[in-house]
């Protein structure tokens, strides 16, 4: 679906050109690959290194841990859940889902300590960095080893959608709040967010697919250039 633009007096053709800059359907980028069925192969086993029976047991264990936590949980309860996930990660370092849930709990812990005027990037780097470390590890473990374009199982695709989207949100939040993250400028953070949204889109997240276009700094720049050019053209004709 195209992202709507403000009402203008542009010709139908000019409006169509401008709108195409922000339409995921028309961009010849990696975002379009979200509809590439070859990215997911339902015949593959859920996990390349963990047997299905063991994976089922791990899923049950971590789901039990996560379900005990809510927005009303105390820091002590969240810490206890994180400790349990630490144990799972230590015993099963290739189990990507545990890294995603640990990142989620770490973020919940940070957010539970914020005042109304604060955001997670007002916390210290040592508190924020583990979010990125865990999500990056989950992505690394779930991507195909043979080739970046090789297909993954539906289970791996779900992990990748979740991890990419969460990390993209964090990059976007850092950009919007003007946070100093890894010495990156706002445009660089937006570009990282756009790439991660595109990663989530490749594995089936259609909301992330549109967000990738919205946050793409090059698309924004092109849109601004086209708008200015069209305005100048209309002014000259007036």
């Amino acid at each position: 679906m195209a992202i709507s633009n403000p009402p203008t007096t542009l010709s139908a053709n000019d409006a169509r050109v401008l709108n195409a800059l922000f339409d995921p359907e028309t961009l010849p980028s990696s975002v379009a690959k979200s509809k590439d069925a070859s990215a997911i192969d339902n015949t593959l086993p859920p996990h390349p290194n963990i047997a299905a029976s063991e994976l089922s047991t791990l899923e049950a264990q971590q789901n039990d841990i996560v379900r005990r936590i809510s927005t009303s949980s105390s820091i002590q309860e969240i810490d206890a859940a994180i400790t349990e996930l630490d144990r799972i990660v230590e015993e099963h370092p290739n189990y990507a889902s545990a890294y995603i849930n640990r990142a989620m709990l770490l973020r919940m812990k940070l957010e539970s300590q914020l005042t109304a005027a604060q955001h997670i990037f007002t916390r210290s780097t040592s508190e924020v960095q583990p979010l990125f470390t865990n999500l990056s590890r989950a992505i690394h473990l779930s991507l195909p080893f043979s080739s970046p374009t090789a297909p993954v199982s539906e289970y791996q695709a779900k992990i990748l959608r979740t991890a990419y989207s969460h990390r993209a949100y964090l990059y976007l939040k850092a950009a919007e709040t003007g946070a100093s993250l890894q010495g990156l400028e706002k445009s660089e953070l937006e570009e990282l967010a756009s790439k991660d949204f595109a990663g989530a889109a490749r594995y089936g997240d259609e909301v992330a697919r549109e967000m990738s276009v919205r946050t793409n700094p090059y698309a924004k720049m092109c849109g601004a250039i086209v708008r200015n050019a069209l305005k100048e053209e209309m002014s000259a004709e007036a």
Side-chain angles (χ1 to χ4, degrees):
M1 180 181 70
I3 299 171
S4 59
N5 293 296
T8 68
T9 56
L10 301 179
S11 69
N13 183 64
D14 287 341
R16 188 161 52 249
V17 171
L18 182 58
N19 196 52
L21 285 168
F22 295 94
D23 186 349
E25 298 292 342
T26 62
L27 285 179
S29 68
S30 60
V31 179
K33 293 182 180 178
S34 66
K35 290 192 173 182
D36 182 1
S38 64
I40 303 173
D41 185 347
N42 292 323
T43 66
L44 291 173
H47 197 286
N49 301 314
I50 301 176
S53 58
E54 184 178 13
L55 185 62
S56 178
T57 300
L58 288 171
E59 291 286 289
Q61 289 177 356
Q62 79 153 359
N63 288 343
D64 179 62
I65 295 169
V66 173
R67 287 187 184 126
R68 298 200 304 265
I69 303 301
S70 68
T71 54
S72 61
S73 296
S74 66
I75 292 179
Q76 290 74 20
E77 290 172 323
I78 297 175
D79 276 337
I82 292 172
T83 298
E84 291 186 71
L85 285 178
D86 288 344
R87 177 181 54 78
I88 292 178
V89 167
E90 184 177 352
E91 295 176 356
H92 304 276
N94 292 325
Y95 180 47
S97 185
Y99 293 93
I100 290 180
N101 282 304
R102 186 162 65 176
M104 180 190 72
L105 292 178
L106 288 169
R107 180 178 149 198
M108 287 181 66
K109 179 181 176 180
L110 287 179
E111 291 177 338
S112 70
Q113 302 174 74
L114 301 177
T115 65
Q118 293 180 317
H119 52 78
I120 60 173
F121 293 102
T122 58
R123 307 294 295 188
S124 67
T125 301
S126 62
E127 292 176 291
V128 174
Q129 188 57 43
L131 301 180
F132 291 94
T133 301
N134 277 277
L135 293 172
S136 297
R137 183 61 179 165
I139 291 169
H140 174 75
L141 289 171
S142 300
L143 285 172
F145 294 114
S146 58
S147 166
T149 59
V152 299
S153 68
E154 177 56 46
Y155 175 84
Q156 288 173 283
K158 181 180 178 181
I159 296 295
L160 289 166
R161 287 196 297 268
T162 304
Y164 271 128
S165 293
H166 193 168
R167 195 172 67 176
Y169 165 81
L170 293 173
Y171 281 132
L172 188 58
K173 186 70 173 178
E176 290 176 346
T177 58
S180 176
L181 181 64
Q182 302 169 8
L184 299 173
E185 300 289 337
K186 179 180 179 180
S187 61
E188 294 174 306
L189 291 169
E190 288 178 335
E191 184 176 357
L192 288 172
S194 180
K195 287 180 178 179
D196 273 359
F197 278 129
R202 172 169 170 73
Y203 295 103
D205 189 330
E206 290 302 317
V207 174
R209 181 169 180 262
E210 186 168 322
M211 284 301 298
S212 177
V213 181
R214 287 178 182 267
T215 55
N216 188 311
Y218 300 107
K220 290 181 179 179
M221 179 179 66
C222 290
I225 291 172
V226 172
R227 286 193 185 94
N228 289 335
L230 293 175
K231 286 179 181 178
E232 290 177 4
E233 181 180 339
M234 288 187 293
S235 297
E237 293 175 352

